[in-house]
Amino acid sequence: MQGVGLLIILLGAIAFIVFMTARIRLHPFLVLLLASLGVGLLAGLPANQVINAITGGFGSTLSGIGIVIAAGTIMGFIMEKSGAAVVMARSILKLVGETRSALAMAFTGGVVSIPVFCDSGFVILSPLNRTLAAQSNQSLSVFAIALSMGLYTTHVFVPPTPGPIAAAGTVGADLGTVILVGLVVSIPTLLAGYYFAKYYGPKIHIDPAPEGGEASLQSDEKEYPSVLRSFAPIVVPVLLIALKSVADYPSAPFGSGSLSSFLSFVGNPNIALLIGVFLSFLTVPKITQEVLGDWVGKGLTDAGLIILITGAGGALGQVIRETPIAAYLSSSLSALQVGIFVPFILAAALKTAQGSSTVAIITTAGIISPLMPALGLASGLGPALTVMAIGAGSMTVSHANDSYFWVVAQFSDMKVEQAYRLQTLASLVTGIVGIIVVSLLYFIFV
């Protein structure tokens, strides 16, 4: 198979993935494996080579990020159960002030969603959202969208959220660089969501009708961890990973001795996230068998699905690398100068079609990885910005096939048509702002 036929195979694989996940509802793990088989065989690879490419791509992808995803998911689940997420929310609220409470909720969402899935984060913080909306005499829609977009932004841009971790591993991006660039991209994107909520949200009035009044802002009978213990599982691993990235610079700012070696060890994402897991244990009032067994086990259960999908995405990427598809697209795409917009458009198409941001991120990363040299994204900041472009696409857009859409709608008393006007439109705005920021960074630094 040569020429245009190779492109047809790739486009057919993408259409197959969209159809099987969105319409047939077959699990993405199986869909990606079937797509890998189909692409390899239709492109003319021998059957044994296709199998070796699938198993090799699966294993090599997970060797770098399997432990990281598992540790990050365990950490997030423990922080959710221990109340650390609520402590972070209250701390940010005190820092920003109740007069800017909607902005506080946007930034709270941005911090909480780094370790905790955005769906869970919204459920946890929903009572606080209602109370603040009632106290400020504003529509709940303002606070719901400010929080929703804050959670969504770091969910798709900033590790150790599993999606960006998986994408970074698949495209070969340095995780520390991805964290730093993700934070840079997140701030204007989060602010875009906040300003959308502030100026458009009041047009749709939703009565907060809080059941608990101000009580949800105050201490209750639950024993919450301290502020330091609540933030430590996020801040410490992120700092360690960032320091490792600095230590590994060619200029060797920390020298080449024991300090540099130590930072390279503890800043390895596997070690840094493992440290984060044990720091998350300190957010629990009493470490019991339930914490050590059941909570860790639940985190691993959630991580297992993500790890399998990530491995299957890596398998698809490896198959594409071994077919003539990569070489053909390299020669045909290199002159188009579309660069950073290709991963965004593909991720947006997959997100809109099948609903899951994580699946859109992982699938897009697997498809884009072998094409990065042709797109001019294989060196420098290119891999990290590729992860960002994929993240921006995976926000665009949240609608009825997205579980997060329904969480936001149901916990904010939105009618379906209101949720389309608020959640869906806000995710479109933030996704577009995200890719604009990414493209500016691309044109400046790549």
Side-chain angles (χ1 to χ4, degrees):
M1 183 70 69
Q2 294 180 347
V4 178
L6 294 170
L7 181 59
I8 293 173
I9 290 173
L10 181 60
L11 294 176
I14 295 171
F16 172 79
I17 293 168
V18 170
F19 177 76
M20 295 300 290
T21 55
R23 288 295 184 90
I24 306 301
R25 301 290 184 181
L26 184 62
H27 196 280
F29 172 72
L30 293 177
V31 173
L32 290 170
L33 289 182
L34 291 175
S36 302
L37 284 168
V39 167
L41 294 174
L42 291 174
L45 293 181
N48 286 338
Q49 187 178 348
V50 175
I51 294 172
N52 290 335
I54 291 173
T55 55
F58 187 92
S60 62
T61 299
L62 295 187
S63 66
I65 58 173
I67 294 174
V68 175
I69 292 175
T73 309
I74 293 169
M75 182 179 71
F77 185 80
I78 291 174
M79 293 178 69
E80 174 189 335
K81 297 289 287 184
S82 69
V86 175
V87 173
M88 289 190 291
R90 292 172 175 170
S91 301
I92 296 170
L93 181 61
K94 289 179 182 178
L95 182 65
V96 177
E98 289 190 25
T99 57
R100 295 184 292 274
S101 49
L103 180 61
M105 290 311 298
F107 277 101
T108 296
V111 173
V112 168
S113 197
I114 293 176
V116 178
F117 281 100
C118 57
D119 306 60
S120 298
F122 196 92
V123 173
I124 293 168
L125 298 175
S126 183
L128 178 60
N129 231 20
R130 286 183 179 274
T131 299
L132 291 174
Q135 287 181 341
S136 58
N137 197 30
Q138 297 184 61
S139 171
L140 181 58
S141 60
V142 175
F143 286 78
I145 297 305
L147 174 61
S148 170
M149 292 301 108
L151 289 161
Y152 212 4
T153 298
T154 50
H155 177 75
V156 300
F157 287 134
V158 184
T161 304
I165 286 180
T170 301
V171 305
D174 175 72
L175 194 58
T177 304
V178 171
I179 290 173
L180 294 174
V181 176
L183 291 171
V184 170
V185 173
S186 292
I187 292 173
T189 307
L190 182 151
L191 289 174
Y194 162 69
Y195 282 114
F196 176 90
K198 180 179 179 181
Y199 292 107
Y200 185 80
K203 296 181 180 180
I204 301 175
H205 182 75
I206 300 174
D207 185 359
E211 297 178 1
E214 297 187 13
S216 58
L217 280 175
Q218 310 300 326
S219 297
D220 52 28
E221 295 181 0
K222 181 180 176 68
E223 184 179 348
Y224 286 109
S226 68
V227 173
L228 180 62
R229 285 186 291 151
S230 297
F231 278 95
I234 303 174
V235 174
V236 171
V238 167
L239 285 178
L240 291 176
I241 293 170
L243 285 172
K244 178 189 183 298
S245 297
V246 174
D248 291 344
Y249 282 167
S251 59
F254 295 113
S256 56
S258 56
L259 176 60
S260 178
S261 298
F262 175 75
L263 290 175
S264 292
F265 174 72
V266 297
N268 179 285
N270 295 286
I271 303 300
L273 267 296
L274 191 60
I275 291 171
V277 169
F278 286 99
L279 288 174
S280 71
F281 286 142
L282 300 180
T283 66
V284 181
K286 183 179 181 180
I287 299 178
T288 63
Q289 183 57 50
E290 181 185 14
V291 175
L292 298 175
D294 296 347
W295 289 11
V296 172
K298 181 60 170 65
L300 287 173
T301 300
D302 294 342
L305 295 175
I306 298 167
I307 289 171
L308 287 172
I309 297 171
T310 302
L316 176 58
Q318 185 61 35
V319 169
I320 294 174
R321 286 187 188 91
E322 297 195 17
T323 65
I325 292 174
Y328 170 74
L329 290 178
S330 294
S331 61
S332 59
L333 288 176
S334 56
L336 294 180
Q337 301 298 314
V338 288
I340 201 69
F341 296 102
V342 174
F344 169 78
I345 293 170
L346 179 55
L350 288 168
K351 163 64 179 178
T352 303
Q354 54 78 43
S356 169
S357 293
T358 302
V359 171
I361 290 172
I362 293 170
T363 304
T364 303
I367 295 171
I368 288 295
S369 179
L371 310 181
M372 288 172 63
L375 298 172
L377 300 170
S379 60
L381 277 181
L385 291 176
T386 300
V387 176
M388 297 299 104
I390 293 171
S394 72
M395 298 180 79
T396 318
V397 292
S398 173
H399 63 97
N401 62 1
D402 179 8
S403 62
Y404 188 46
F405 172 90
W406 294 107
V407 168
V408 173
Q410 291 169 6
F411 279 84
S412 305
D413 300 336
M414 294 180 189
K415 298 176 182 178
V416 175
E417 61 271 20
Q418 292 175 329
Y420 273 112
R421 293 173 60 190
L422 292 166
Q423 173 73 3
T424 302
L425 190 54
S427 64
L428 175 63
V429 170
T430 51
I432 291 174
V433 170
I435 190 58
I436 289 173
V437 175
V438 173
S439 63
L440 288 175
L441 294 175
Y442 170 78
F443 289 120
I444 293 171
F445 294 108
V446 177

